[in-house]
Amino acid sequence: QLQLQESGPGLVKPSETLSLTCTVSGGSISSSSYYWAWIRQPPGKGLEWIGTVYYSGSTYYNPSLKSRVTISVDTSQKQFSLQLSSVTAADTAVYYCARHGGTSIQYSRFDPWGQGTLVSVSS
Amino acid sequence: QSVLTQPPSASGTPGQRVTIFCSGSSSNIGSNTVNWYQQLPGTAPKLLIYRNNQRPSGVPARFSGSKSGTSASLAIGGLQSEDEADYYCSAWDDSLNGHCVFGSGTKVTVL
């Protein structure tokens, strides 16, 4: 059974870079059938897609975050990572990683999800 | 402001049918498939419906999805207390080089 686990600092200072890693277990990260995604949820608010990476390294990003986001994949470690630069308090959220699967990106869905990790931005 | 529009809340008594609507545009729901996620309090979202109307294994048959034009809907037939949760629709949007969009979420309350 595929499982995903987020890891990284729970507290980041304003203007610094938020870095998170998602480790995939119970399945392959290199399958051509799947992409891998980051999604976040500010406290008490809805879900926001951050971006998606393919095992080859190609990426799709949320247009509103694109200038600050980098998502990469390390197939040897079965991990993919998120970097969000110049963070502010508005970036405080629970960050989820998920498999973004489907025959093509337009028909794909997020399943399964990691448990999520809360990242707070504060000095 | 979310690209996909959902009502903030919906409610029903046990056994009732509740329907949640998700409104989009030609670049997202009108062109691509819709997925629905259920988020129970304090937990990660879970895939409930994919490709407009497909249920993953383990999802009860009382959950059903449909799509027409630029709108989609999620129906919960025979509402149960454990269905009290937030529900989000999502679709790929072909504009701006392609990106994924979520609805604002609907809180379902079982009265």
Side-chain angles (χ1 to χ4, degrees), chain A residues 89-108:
Chain A
D91 296 308
T92 293
V94 174
Y95 285 76
Y96 297 101
C97 60
R99 186 176 66 179
H100 196 179
T103 53
S104 70
I105 193 76
Q106 291 92 340
Y107 309 128
S108 54

Side-chain angles (χ1 to χ4, degrees), chain A residues 4-23:
Chain A
L4 297 89
Q5 178 68 57
E6 305 88 352
S7 59
L11 181 64
V12 181
K13 290 182 168 55
S15 80
E16 296 189 343
T17 297
L18 178 160
S19 296
L20 295 174
T21 296
C22 182
T23 301

Side-chain angles (χ1 to χ4, degrees), chain B residues 11-95:
Chain B
S11 62
T13 56
Q16 272 191 327
R17 180 181 180 87
V18 171
T19 303
I20 301 166
F21 292 91
C22 174
S23 177
S25 66
S26 59
S27 62
N28 42 66
I29 293 179
S31 302
N32 301 305
T33 57
V34 178
N35 305 311
W36 289 89
Y37 301 90
Q38 178 194 57
Q39 186 174 32
L40 297 170
T43 69
K46 166 192 154 186
L47 179 66
L48 196 65
I49 296 288
Y50 67 99
R51 288 196 180 185
N52 305 326
N53 55 19
Q54 302 298 303
R55 275 179 293 107
S57 60
V59 173
R62 66 179 181 275
F63 293 97
S64 62
S66 66
K67 186 185 104 167
S68 178
T70 59
S71 293
S73 63
L74 171 71
I76 310 173
L79 192 64
Q80 298 186 10
S81 57
E82 59 261 37
D83 298 333
E84 188 160 291
D86 293 321
Y87 294 84
Y88 295 90
C89 59
S90 178
W92 189 256
D93 192 304
D94 291 331
S95 67

